Amino acid sequence: MEREPIGVVGVGWVGLVTAACFAELGHEVWARDIVPEKVDALGRGDVPIHEPGLPELVRKNAERLHFTIDMGDVLDRAELLFVCVDTPPTYSGDADLSRVDAVLGELGDSDKHALVMKSTVPVGTGRSIRRRRDGIGYVANPEFLKEGSAVEDFMHPDRVVVGAEDGSAGYADRVEALYSPLGAEVVRTDVASAEMIKLASNAFLATKISFINEIANVSEELGADVREVARGMGLDDRIGPKFLQAGVGFGGSCFPKDVQALKQLAGNSGYHFQLLTAVVEVNELQKRRTIGKLQKHLGSLAGKEIALLGVAFKPNTDDVREATSLVLAGRLAGEGANVRAYDPVAGSKATDMLAGARIVESALEAVDGADAVVLVTEWQEFRELDWTGQVKSRMRMPLVVDGRNFLDREALVGAGFTYEGIGR
Ligand code: UGA
């Protein structure tokens, strides 16, 4: 295998996974971030995010992983620069590309470096960069990593997308070669199509979730069980079983942002993407439906004690961006409820974000004296709680809203709980 020095610009979650995994594949990696504390911590082997397997990989490959705040260190050593900076949404829903522009500025007039764009960018970004920097090497190489299984996803990708125009074909070949040990199918295409593959994939998965959530809502009215429905649908090869779990809505730093970005891009080009408008709307309503379920059993929520189990937007991550817990805490506070929230890892990150809620140290502390428990995130720990013993005896009212259809309904009902799931 050809080994070549790799530059990574932006050591957030994507950048760190990319850097660590390329190092694991045997390459020297120079990874640059503008936050000195982060660079220092990583240099000591301290990984600032919760991602299974990542700290081990960083420590194991410490010799090949060089963290720096100096872009010069990277430019001196590597020609391929994997750009992994944030592209957060602006208030209009467009992506904020100022960090990508800053990287471009630092590159100066260099003609020996190529940008390999991993950050999620609007379709047309590559074209605009090449127009502004005539002749610059540019490869679109979107990431498809899921938080919580990012290392695994990097090492065993469903596909690798490499988009380039003719002038950058040589760079694209080198990028392709870096992934060849992984044995995945490579989709070699033009830059705009590569950019669109990323946004369309996320938007499609989000659509799948909003679709099954609406099926769940209708199933509640018509007496079907959405889990049975999803199982029956998922066995159809053309549909597939994944991303058909009904719940309290999708969150995270990607789906909400990317759906909005694609919708906005379409709008900017004069096309009204109707379907995505609905996907977002359904998701916002889904996040709030729990309130109605609580009111159905408790009447007014004023003064009621509500326990939220799970704060992170999904299990195995400490990420709370766009998490349903934040919306729920805000709505519950608005209704006058007292909210206690617990998360195995994300609690401390959410202290200032959970409106009016108190973050506690254990699930049992959260349920103590509660009129209802709402399971927001399906952490394994919550399944293993002693529901029929310790939990039940601590609650004032044995009411559970299981926002992920995660708990054993029969056991709970058998023990005297009132159980509300999603779509059943
Ligand atoms: C998502 C994509 O799955 C990745 O492929 C992509 O690389 C990433 O965004 C990104 O663009 O960076 P991620 O946001 O980490 O990954 O999380 P997912 O596992 O996709 O879950 C997203 C949300 O959907 C979570 O809130 C989850 O609870 C929800 N979800 C997922 C459901 O409600 N039902 C499902 O069946 C699946």
Side-chain angles (χ1 to χ4, degrees):
M1 181 189 66
E2 281 285 317
R3 295 203 202 286
E4 77 162 304
I6 288 170
V8 171
V9 187
V11 192
W13 173 77
V14 173
L16 187 54
V17 173
T18 302
C21 289
F22 277 135
E24 171 75 3
L25 293 175
H27 305 279
E28 292 285 325
V29 179
W30 274 269
R32 184 281 190 125
D33 201 276
I34 51 173
V35 180
E37 296 77 28
K38 192 195 279 182
V39 169
D40 289 346
L42 286 167
R44 293 191 303 270
D46 292 342
V47 172
I49 47 177
H50 181 88
E51 185 61 45
L54 190 56
E56 293 79 358
L57 217 57
V58 168
R59 278 176 224 131
K60 179 177 163 212
N61 294 290
E63 272 189 11
R64 280 192 293 274
L65 268 174
H66 314 279
F67 297 103
T68 176
I69 53 164
D70 187 354
M71 188 69 163
D73 288 343
V74 179
L75 297 180
D76 286 348
R77 278 145 179 136
E79 291 176 8
L80 295 178
L81 307 176
F82 284 78
V83 180
C84 304
V85 296
D86 264 21
T87 52
T90 60
Y91 70 92
S92 65
D94 294 295
D96 171 1
L97 293 179
S98 57
R99 294 174 180 92
V100 173
D101 288 339
V103 175
L104 205 57
E106 286 178 302
L107 210 55
D109 294 328
S110 164
D111 57 3
K112 72 174 176 72
H113 295 97
L115 295 178
V116 186
M117 191 58 69
K118 275 223 159 286
S119 300
T120 302
V121 293
V123 182
T125 301
R127 191 181 50 203
S128 131
I129 288 179
R130 278 178 298 116
R131 202 181 290 141
R132 278 146 64 200
R133 286 296 164 84
D134 197 23
I136 194 172
Y138 190 94
V139 180
N141 175 222
E143 56 89 10
F144 300 99
L145 311 173
K146 297 185 290 298
E147 290 186 26
S149 60
V151 171
E152 183 67 17
D153 291 344
F154 188 100
M155 291 300 187
H156 305 281
D158 288 343
R159 79 305 209 181
V160 170
V161 174
V162 177
E165 307 310 330
D166 291 347
S168 294
Y171 289 120
D173 290 344
R174 282 159 65 183
V175 171
E176 217 183 301
L178 292 174
Y179 289 102
S180 65
L182 306 179
E185 176 148 359
V186 176
V187 181
R188 185 72 178 257
T189 183
D190 60 279
V191 171
S193 301
E195 292 166 341
M196 184 61 106
I197 289 170
K198 166 68 189 192
L199 288 177
S201 297
N202 272 1
F204 186 79
L205 292 170
T207 304
K208 224 175 158 184
I209 298 170
S210 275
F211 182 86
I212 201 67
N213 281 339
E214 289 217 282
I215 294 291
N217 299 343
V218 180
S219 293
E220 280 173 16
E221 300 305 319
L222 302 182
D225 183 333
V226 72
R227 295 172 323 149
E228 296 299 307
V229 178
R231 186 161 67 98
M233 287 169 64
L235 285 169
D236 186 326
D237 243 5
R238 295 165 302 175
I239 298 174
K242 293 180 181 165
F243 281 70
L244 282 183
Q245 277 160 46
V248 284
F250 58 79
S253 62
C254 302
F255 284 178
K257 163 176 86 97
D258 291 351
V259 171
Q260 203 65 41
L262 183 51
K263 191 177 135 211
Q264 194 67 28
L265 264 175
N268 294 348
S269 74
Y271 183 78
H272 175 51
F273 206 139
Q274 296 201 46
L275 194 52
L276 293 185
T277 307
V279 168
V280 173
E281 234 172 71
V282 168
N283 196 49
E284 288 311 314
L285 290 174
Q286 197 70 14
K287 288 183 175 180
R288 291 160 175 80
R289 270 179 71 86
T290 302
I291 303 293
K293 290 187 174 169
L294 290 170
Q295 285 166 333
K296 180 172 125 192
H297 296 283
L298 300 176
S300 163
L301 300 180
K304 297 285 169 11
E305 300 288 330
I306 311 290
L308 293 187
L309 294 187
V311 174
F313 84 97
K314 65 173 192 177
N316 301 320
T317 173
D318 59 356
D319 196 338
V320 298
R321 284 177 286 179
E322 301 280 336
T324 297
S325 60
L326 306 183
V327 173
L328 271 182
R331 289 283 288 124
L332 287 167
E335 298 290 330
N338 302 318
V339 180
R340 261 166 298 156
Y342 166 71
D343 191 282
V345 304
S348 60
K349 288 221 168 168
T351 323
D352 302 327
M353 299 167 86
L354 280 178
R358 196 152 64 81
I359 308 270
V360 296
E361 295 301 315
S362 73
L364 288 181
E365 198 182 336
V367 305
D368 215 17
D371 294 297
V373 168
V374 181
L375 186 137
V376 187
T377 317
E378 64 277 35
W379 285 98
Q380 190 55 33
E381 173 181 330
F382 298 150
R383 197 178 257 158
E384 288 156 11
L385 287 172
D386 176 16
W387 283 94
T388 55
Q390 285 187 311
V391 175
K392 179 145 188 273
S393 66
R394 282 174 186 240
M395 290 182 71
R396 195 150 71 187
M397 282 262 297
L399 168 61
V400 174
V401 180
D402 180 358
R404 300 285 177 184
N405 290 334
F406 185 62
L407 303 171
D408 184 342
R409 175 173 70 172
E410 282 64 42
L412 288 175
V413 171
F417 276 92
T418 303
Y419 176 97
E420 284 277 351
I422 305 284
R424 42 205 294 222

Short mmCIF file of all heavy atoms in Angstrom, two decimals, residues 249-276:
data_model
loop_
_atom_site.label_atom_id
_atom_site.label_comp_id
_atom_site.label_asym_id
_atom_site.label_seq_id
_atom_site.Cartn_x
_atom_site.Cartn_y
_atom_site.Cartn_z
N GLY A 249 -38.67 11.71 17.39
CA GLY A 249 -38.10 12.61 16.39
C GLY A 249 -36.60 12.48 16.28
O GLY A 249 -35.93 12.02 17.20
N PHE A 250 -36.08 12.90 15.12
CA PHE A 250 -34.62 12.85 14.93
C PHE A 250 -34.00 14.15 15.39
O PHE A 250 -34.61 15.22 15.34
CB PHE A 250 -34.26 12.54 13.47
CG PHE A 250 -34.78 13.51 12.45
CD1 PHE A 250 -34.16 14.73 12.24
CD2 PHE A 250 -35.89 13.18 11.68
CE1 PHE A 250 -34.62 15.61 11.28
CE2 PHE A 250 -36.38 14.08 10.72
CZ PHE A 250 -35.75 15.29 10.52
N GLY A 251 -32.75 14.03 15.87
CA GLY A 251 -32.01 15.21 16.29
C GLY A 251 -30.59 15.09 15.78
O GLY A 251 -30.31 14.40 14.81
N GLY A 252 -29.68 15.77 16.48
CA GLY A 252 -28.27 15.69 16.10
C GLY A 252 -27.82 16.86 15.26
O GLY A 252 -28.61 17.72 14.87
N SER A 253 -26.54 16.85 14.97
CA SER A 253 -25.97 18.00 14.28
C SER A 253 -26.11 17.86 12.77
O SER A 253 -25.73 18.76 12.03
CB SER A 253 -24.49 18.11 14.63
OG SER A 253 -23.82 16.96 14.19
N CYS A 254 -26.64 16.73 12.29
CA CYS A 254 -26.62 16.51 10.84
C CYS A 254 -27.99 16.53 10.18
O CYS A 254 -28.23 17.31 9.27
CB CYS A 254 -25.93 15.20 10.54
SG CYS A 254 -24.27 15.16 11.21
N PHE A 255 -28.89 15.65 10.60
CA PHE A 255 -30.17 15.56 9.89
C PHE A 255 -30.92 16.88 9.85
O PHE A 255 -31.28 17.35 8.77
CB PHE A 255 -31.05 14.46 10.49
CG PHE A 255 -30.64 13.06 10.12
CD1 PHE A 255 -31.33 11.97 10.61
CD2 PHE A 255 -29.58 12.82 9.26
CE1 PHE A 255 -30.96 10.68 10.27
CE2 PHE A 255 -29.20 11.55 8.91
CZ PHE A 255 -29.89 10.46 9.42
N PRO A 256 -31.16 17.51 11.01
CA PRO A 256 -31.92 18.77 10.96
C PRO A 256 -31.23 19.81 10.07
O PRO A 256 -31.87 20.47 9.25
CB PRO A 256 -31.95 19.23 12.43
CG PRO A 256 -31.75 17.98 13.22
CD PRO A 256 -30.84 17.12 12.39
N LYS A 257 -29.91 19.89 10.20
CA LYS A 257 -29.15 20.89 9.44
C LYS A 257 -29.16 20.57 7.94
O LYS A 257 -29.36 21.45 7.11
CB LYS A 257 -27.72 20.89 9.98
CG LYS A 257 -26.69 21.56 9.08
CD LYS A 257 -25.33 21.59 9.76
CE LYS A 257 -24.53 20.34 9.55
NZ LYS A 257 -23.56 20.28 8.52
N ASP A 258 -28.93 19.31 7.61
CA ASP A 258 -28.78 18.97 6.19
C ASP A 258 -30.12 18.99 5.45
O ASP A 258 -30.18 19.36 4.28
CB ASP A 258 -28.11 17.60 6.04
CG ASP A 258 -26.64 17.65 6.47
OD1 ASP A 258 -26.14 18.78 6.71
OD2 ASP A 258 -26.01 16.59 6.57
N VAL A 259 -31.19 18.60 6.14
CA VAL A 259 -32.51 18.68 5.51
C VAL A 259 -32.83 20.15 5.20
O VAL A 259 -33.26 20.50 4.10
CB VAL A 259 -33.60 18.08 6.43
CG1 VAL A 259 -34.99 18.36 5.88
CG2 VAL A 259 -33.39 16.58 6.61
N GLN A 260 -32.56 20.99 6.21
CA GLN A 260 -32.80 22.42 6.04
C GLN A 260 -31.93 22.99 4.92
O GLN A 260 -32.39 23.78 4.09
CB GLN A 260 -32.45 23.10 7.38
CG GLN A 260 -33.10 24.43 7.61
CD GLN A 260 -34.62 24.30 7.73
OE1 GLN A 260 -35.11 23.37 8.35
NE2 GLN A 260 -35.35 25.21 7.10
N ALA A 261 -30.68 22.55 4.88
CA ALA A 261 -29.74 23.07 3.88
C ALA A 261 -30.18 22.68 2.47
O ALA A 261 -30.15 23.51 1.55
CB ALA A 261 -28.33 22.56 4.15
N LEU A 262 -30.63 21.46 2.30
CA LEU A 262 -31.05 21.02 0.96
C LEU A 262 -32.32 21.75 0.53
O LEU A 262 -32.46 22.17 -0.62
CB LEU A 262 -31.26 19.50 0.96
CG LEU A 262 -31.64 18.85 -0.37
CD1 LEU A 262 -30.70 19.26 -1.49
CD2 LEU A 262 -31.65 17.32 -0.24
N LYS A 263 -33.21 21.90 1.49
CA LYS A 263 -34.45 22.64 1.21
C LYS A 263 -34.13 24.07 0.79
O LYS A 263 -34.68 24.60 -0.18
CB LYS A 263 -35.26 22.64 2.52
CG LYS A 263 -36.66 23.11 2.38
CD LYS A 263 -37.33 22.97 3.73
CE LYS A 263 -38.06 24.19 3.96
NZ LYS A 263 -38.39 24.88 4.98
N GLN A 264 -33.20 24.67 1.52
CA GLN A 264 -32.80 26.05 1.25
C GLN A 264 -32.10 26.18 -0.10
O GLN A 264 -32.39 27.09 -0.87
CB GLN A 264 -31.85 26.48 2.38
CG GLN A 264 -31.61 27.95 2.47
CD GLN A 264 -32.87 28.68 2.89
OE1 GLN A 264 -33.72 28.11 3.57
NE2 GLN A 264 -33.01 29.90 2.45
N LEU A 265 -31.22 25.22 -0.38
CA LEU A 265 -30.50 25.22 -1.66
C LEU A 265 -31.48 25.14 -2.82
O LEU A 265 -31.35 25.84 -3.82
CB LEU A 265 -29.62 23.97 -1.75
CG LEU A 265 -28.17 24.05 -1.37
CD1 LEU A 265 -27.57 22.66 -1.44
CD2 LEU A 265 -27.43 24.99 -2.31
N ALA A 266 -32.45 24.23 -2.65
CA ALA A 266 -33.46 24.07 -3.70
C ALA A 266 -34.19 25.40 -3.88
O ALA A 266 -34.35 25.89 -4.99
CB ALA A 266 -34.44 22.96 -3.32
N GLY A 267 -34.59 25.99 -2.74
CA GLY A 267 -35.31 27.26 -2.78
C GLY A 267 -34.50 28.35 -3.47
O GLY A 267 -35.00 29.07 -4.33
N ASN A 268 -33.20 28.41 -3.14
CA ASN A 268 -32.34 29.43 -3.76
C ASN A 268 -32.27 29.25 -5.27
O ASN A 268 -32.05 30.20 -6.01
CB ASN A 268 -30.92 29.37 -3.18
CG ASN A 268 -30.89 29.74 -1.71
OD1 ASN A 268 -31.87 30.25 -1.17
ND2 ASN A 268 -29.77 29.47 -1.05
N SER A 269 -32.43 27.99 -5.70
CA SER A 269 -32.34 27.75 -7.15
C SER A 269 -33.72 27.85 -7.80
O SER A 269 -33.89 27.53 -8.97
CB SER A 269 -31.73 26.37 -7.41
OG SER A 269 -32.69 25.37 -7.12
N GLY A 270 -34.72 28.22 -7.01
CA GLY A 270 -36.05 28.44 -7.58
C GLY A 270 -36.96 27.22 -7.49
O GLY A 270 -38.04 27.20 -8.07
N TYR A 271 -36.53 26.19 -6.76
CA TYR A 271 -37.36 24.99 -6.65
C TYR A 271 -37.89 24.83 -5.23
O TYR A 271 -37.12 24.85 -4.27
CB TYR A 271 -36.55 23.75 -7.05
CG TYR A 271 -37.40 22.50 -7.02
CD1 TYR A 271 -38.28 22.23 -8.06
CD2 TYR A 271 -37.37 21.64 -5.92
CE1 TYR A 271 -39.11 21.12 -8.02
CE2 TYR A 271 -38.20 20.52 -5.87
CZ TYR A 271 -39.06 20.27 -6.93
OH TYR A 271 -39.89 19.18 -6.88
N HIS A 272 -39.18 24.63 -5.09
CA HIS A 272 -39.76 24.44 -3.77
C HIS A 272 -39.80 22.95 -3.45
O HIS A 272 -40.56 22.20 -4.05
CB HIS A 272 -41.18 25.03 -3.73
CG HIS A 272 -41.90 24.78 -2.44
ND1 HIS A 272 -41.33 25.07 -1.22
CD2 HIS A 272 -43.11 24.25 -2.19
CE1 HIS A 272 -42.18 24.72 -0.26
NE2 HIS A 272 -43.26 24.22 -0.82
N PHE A 273 -38.95 22.52 -2.52
CA PHE A 273 -38.84 21.09 -2.19
C PHE A 273 -39.91 20.77 -1.15
O PHE A 273 -39.68 20.80 0.05
CB PHE A 273 -37.44 20.81 -1.63
CG PHE A 273 -36.97 19.39 -1.81
CD1 PHE A 273 -35.65 19.13 -2.18
CD2 PHE A 273 -37.82 18.32 -1.61
CE1 PHE A 273 -35.19 17.83 -2.34
CE2 PHE A 273 -37.38 17.01 -1.77
CZ PHE A 273 -36.06 16.77 -2.13
N GLN A 274 -41.11 20.45 -1.62
CA GLN A 274 -42.26 20.30 -0.72
C GLN A 274 -42.07 19.22 0.33
O GLN A 274 -42.40 19.37 1.49
CB GLN A 274 -43.49 19.90 -1.54
CG GLN A 274 -43.92 20.95 -2.51
CD GLN A 274 -45.36 20.74 -2.89
OE1 GLN A 274 -46.21 20.51 -2.04
NE2 GLN A 274 -45.64 20.80 -4.18
N LEU A 275 -41.53 18.09 -0.12
CA LEU A 275 -41.42 16.93 0.75
C LEU A 275 -40.59 17.26 1.99
O LEU A 275 -40.94 16.90 3.11
CB LEU A 275 -40.77 15.79 -0.05
CG LEU A 275 -40.84 14.40 0.52
CD1 LEU A 275 -42.27 14.01 0.86
CD2 LEU A 275 -40.27 13.41 -0.51
N LEU A 276 -39.47 17.97 1.79
CA LEU A 276 -38.59 18.26 2.92
C LEU A 276 -39.22 19.23 3.90
O LEU A 276 -38.94 19.18 5.10
CB LEU A 276 -37.24 18.78 2.43
CG LEU A 276 -36.41 17.75 1.66
CD1 LEU A 276 -35.03 18.32 1.33
CD2 LEU A 276 -36.25 16.44 2.45
#
